[in-house]
Amino acid sequence: MTEQDIKEIETLLSSPKQVVIVPHKNPDGDAMGSCLGLYHYLIKNNHHAKVIAPNDYPDFLKWLPGNADVIVYESDKNSAESLIENAEIIFTLDFNALHRAGDMETLLENSKAIKIMIDHHQQPHDYATYIYSDVAMSSTCEMVYDFIDLLGDAPTIDAAIATSLYAGILTDTGSFRFPSSTSKTHRVAANLIDKGANHSDIYNSIYDTNSYERLQLLGVALKNLKVIPEYRTAYITLSQDELNAANFKKGDTEGFVNYGLSIKNIVFAAIFIEHKQEGIIKISLRSEGEFSVNEFSRENFDGGGHTNAAGGKSDLSLIDTVEKFISILPRYKNTLNP
Ligand code: 5GP
Ligand code: MN
């Protein structure tokens, strides 16, 4: 994003506009936090803004300020379509390619609105009028903070903006432990606390809301955990039957993949989750160090993300997906276990 871009966006936002803000499909804390942070900022500046999520998201994000005003495309297509039709500006947050907006892809593609991308994923596509992409950033929430700051409005950040942005920084940095969280990330977080984000309440709202069933499911996941020392790799499987037995709800498996990575000497962790209804296996991949799960996912599982955190999918059965996974590891031996 150049100085010229910022000037143009400043002019664009100098009078009230119809704005739509869209996170990626299956939005996580960073996606919802960045959208709602930006939403509160725009509302405060007299714009008509709406967040439209492509599909539903976990309950542990539904306490976020402004959540009640979010439209879920999958369950309210008419409202979403008319908002997009009338939108003058569409912000796309926390994703790098329109297909990441799921069923909203075509709507967004066909819209004549000015599009502004704010995102930290690798290899951004060139669909937006303004692209603010920085793969070194901890989170899109940190970038929304910088965006507001670039517009000269950091002093106007209030508790609703601060709480939303802090929540997404917290989740995308694994509570400030991933290498992507820099001293500047901490300074942004500190500023957000000064503006009214209650770090302790936010942490509790997101992480201390386990159901008994989720913990039972975690037990199953940990029992299923397998280690392949030769490739310093660990993986977990969860079948649809296992999910059903634990009364699975969206978001219940969030973070499970990290247990594999927490094992000593393991640098690559995966979780394979069966989604019978969609007919796919959803895959989450995590790594430590230089092994790029973004590349691994692009090359083998139709996905992508960041160097150390990515997702993907497979049309094969759960067993065949795992077999494929194991069979391709030798190709990566040099990076996984040199
Ligand atoms: P998660 O494993 O938590 O679903 O996703 C990890 C990271 O990879 C997130 O930044 C997410 O946006 C990205 N990601 C997840 N699934 C996909 C996918 O299917 N395609 C792409 N390009 N990125 C994904
Ligand atoms: Mn993110």
Side-chain angles (χ1 to χ4, degrees):
M1 178 142 294
T2 63
E3 260 176 52
Q4 181 60 27
D5 288 345
I6 286 295
K7 270 198 198 128
E8 287 177 22
I9 294 172
E10 215 167 341
T11 310
L12 194 64
L13 293 177
S14 63
S15 60
K17 290 286 183 308
Q18 301 287 337
V19 186
V20 164
I21 310 167
V22 184
H24 57 77
K25 188 183 175 192
N26 298 323
D28 57 6
D30 189 32
M32 291 313 296
S34 58
C35 285
L36 285 167
L38 182 65
Y39 164 79
H40 290 294
Y41 168 73
L42 292 171
I43 293 285
K44 204 180 162 84
N45 286 282
N46 301 316
H47 299 287
H48 304 277
K50 272 283 177 201
V51 176
I52 306 179
N55 63 345
D56 201 9
Y57 44 94
D59 284 348
F60 67 77
L61 296 175
K62 291 191 174 163
W63 60 272
L64 281 166
N67 176 70
D69 300 327
V70 173
I71 290 179
V72 175
Y73 174 71
E74 224 172 52
S75 46
D76 195 357
K77 288 191 178 161
N78 289 342
S79 313
E81 280 165 14
S82 96
L83 281 163
I84 289 175
E85 227 160 78
N86 294 318
E88 296 165 276
I89 306 172
I90 298 179
F91 283 91
T92 65
L93 298 197
D94 200 36
F95 65 91
N96 56 357
L98 284 181
H99 68 84
R100 297 278 297 128
D103 292 343
M104 290 178 68
E105 178 180 5
T106 316
L107 267 181
L108 295 176
E109 217 164 53
N110 294 340
S111 158
K112 299 274 179 291
I114 290 172
K115 297 194 187 85
I116 305 178
M117 173 207 288
I118 305 179
D119 180 53
H120 65 140
H121 291 93
Q122 306 211 348
Q123 291 120 315
H125 287 198
D126 189 20
Y127 65 81
T129 322
Y130 298 102
I131 296 181
Y132 180 25
S133 161
D134 187 345
V135 300
M137 284 278 182
S138 72
S139 54
T140 301
C141 281
E142 185 177 340
M143 298 178 73
V144 169
Y145 178 92
D146 287 352
F147 180 72
I148 295 173
D149 192 27
L150 285 167
L151 292 171
D153 286 334
T156 72
I157 289 178
D158 60 18
I161 302 173
T163 301
S164 308
L165 296 182
Y166 186 95
I169 294 176
L170 183 72
T171 54
D172 247 32
T173 59
S175 306
F176 299 96
R177 76 183 188 277
F178 299 148
S180 59
S181 51
T182 60
S183 60
K184 187 231 157 198
T185 311
H186 285 264
R187 275 192 286 274
V188 168
N191 290 342
L192 294 173
I193 291 172
D194 286 341
K195 297 290 185 188
N198 184 321
H199 66 283
S200 188
D201 285 354
I202 294 172
Y203 186 94
N204 290 338
S205 303
I206 294 175
Y207 294 113
D208 290 346
T209 55
N210 273 320
S211 63
Y212 176 74
E213 283 91 351
R214 179 178 186 258
L215 291 185
Q216 295 293 106
L217 187 62
L218 175 60
V220 175
L222 294 179
K223 267 203 177 135
N224 291 349
L225 175 67
K226 301 268 187 309
V227 173
I228 314 173
E230 194 186 351
Y231 301 109
R232 297 199 289 168
T233 295
Y235 68 90
I236 290 171
T237 55
L238 282 173
S239 70
Q240 186 71 63
D241 286 345
E242 288 168 327
L243 297 170
N244 293 349
N247 198 15
F248 170 76
K249 290 220 307 293
K250 212 176 187 72
D252 278 353
T253 55
E254 196 80 33
F256 284 11
V257 64
N258 292 309
Y259 284 94
L261 210 54
S262 74
I263 302 170
K264 197 172 173 182
N265 289 330
I266 293 298
V267 296
F268 181 27
I271 186 166
F272 302 93
I273 302 172
E274 187 175 31
H275 288 263
K276 271 253 163 82
Q277 217 176 9
E278 292 178 62
I280 59 161
I281 309 300
K282 180 82 186 87
I283 306 165
S284 282
L285 303 165
R286 301 291 185 269
S287 67
E288 269 167 27
E290 67 180 86
F291 180 67
S292 170
V293 287
N294 171 53
E295 297 303 332
F296 182 87
S297 187
R298 277 171 197 276
E299 286 162 11
N300 304 292
F301 291 112
D302 190 23
H306 313 283
T307 304
N308 296 131
K313 52 187 170 299
S314 154
D315 298 330
L316 305 172
S317 69
L318 186 56
I319 290 175
D320 289 347
T321 302
V322 170
E323 204 167 282
K324 172 179 170 181
F325 175 75
I326 293 171
S327 75
I328 55 191
L329 289 177
R331 279 198 249 149
Y332 298 90
K333 179 141 203 301
N334 286 346
T335 349
L336 285 171
N337 200 1

